[in-house]
Amino acid sequence: MFELAEELLRRLDAGEPVAVVTVTRVLGSAPRPVGCSMAVAATASGERVLGAISGGCAESAAHALAQQVLASGAPVTEHLGFDEWAFSTGLSCGGQLRVLGYRLDASRPELIAELRAAADGSDAALAIVSRGPDELLGRVVTLTGGDAGLPAGVLGVVRRELADRLVDGVCGVLEPSDEVELAVLVSRARPRLLIFGAVDVAGALSRLGRQLGYRVTVCDARALFATAERFPDADQVVVDWPARYLASIEVDARTVIAVLTHEERFDVPLLTAALDGPAGYIGAMGSRRTHQRRLGLLREAGVSAQALERLHSPIGLDLGAVTPMETAVSIMAEVIASRTGAAARPLAQGSGPIHAVVVPA
């Protein structure tokens, strides 16, 4: 749901009726995880469909469910898949989805507050009752608000789960009692993408990084090149020496650092500092010859062999990229593979399910 936050709020602020269908449990292999949503807004010019809950095979059922919610205003659950509970829709991948349809309106202040936090790029978390008595279905608990009609002891369990889920950023399912199940939906604050070097690839990388949910900064010591006009997709353009700027900001394990300058006077002090920090991905552009020379200079600067193993250089996956955007795709593909631990080989060369298989608890 949080992936639709900006658009949902836009429709809500315009006074348009909106119904949301959210995946609350995944069984087996399915293309979308718990928390993803489709929404249907009733606009003056007709319906508008936002988002998706599958690769296409369950969208018609989700749309029909949203229409039902718009008409009745009451939350409703449905099971999509092939088993004794299945309805008319099955997932071609063989997986099963349980979904919850509910109306989004001003009567749901806790939910709306978390949507606004997600749209602002801040942490957001809520638990929504996806199975239970009719009077509880669709009710929301947040870290600071809502009680969903749950007993105090159960409410404490739910809030502790919300806090834990915000640490790893993964949505999930919670069954605090035999009678109630909640989908726990979280959206962490946008991670940082730090691009050093106001070169042409930086423009493409900032555009792609923003689309992938990063808070993008472009930094270069040359004021002539580091301008907001040249990098309209960046959240921030900084004129400063790269190593000095890096030392002035907070970096964490979700931070991506892309060094595109391939100039030793910038690269060596910057990478020395970066490799001494917690950034999850550190990559540097340059030829293999440049890379080898850079490694020697970093060793001379005191960077350990263990730290140098963290450096992705030359940066990016070998996609045969030529244009700035192709190069940006190769870089972000490596970032994703590095984060997930994926082999980054063609899916056709693998075996087994291409989506993660979720085993029922």
Side-chain angles (χ1 to χ4, degrees), residues 65-133:
L65 196 65
Q67 288 181 313
Q68 178 182 337
V69 171
L70 284 174
S72 69
V76 61
T77 61
E78 189 162 320
H79 187 110
L80 308 177
F82 297 110
D83 72 355
E84 67 270 23
W85 295 315
F87 284 72
S88 59
T89 299
L91 275 67
S92 59
C93 55
Q96 302 169 45
L97 302 177
R98 293 180 187 171
V99 297
L100 172 69
Y102 50 97
R103 192 174 175 116
L104 179 63
D105 56 39
S107 69
R108 305 174 71 85
E110 293 90 358
L111 193 157
I112 293 170
E114 296 305 310
L115 282 174
R116 295 201 185 280
D120 290 339
S122 302
D123 285 344
L126 62 85
I128 187 166
V129 178
S130 54
R131 179 178 61 82

Side-chain angles (χ1 to χ4, degrees), residues 315-330:
I315 196 171
L317 297 183
D318 184 5
L319 306 180
V322 175
T323 67
M325 184 52 76
E326 288 175 347
T327 302
V329 169
S330 80

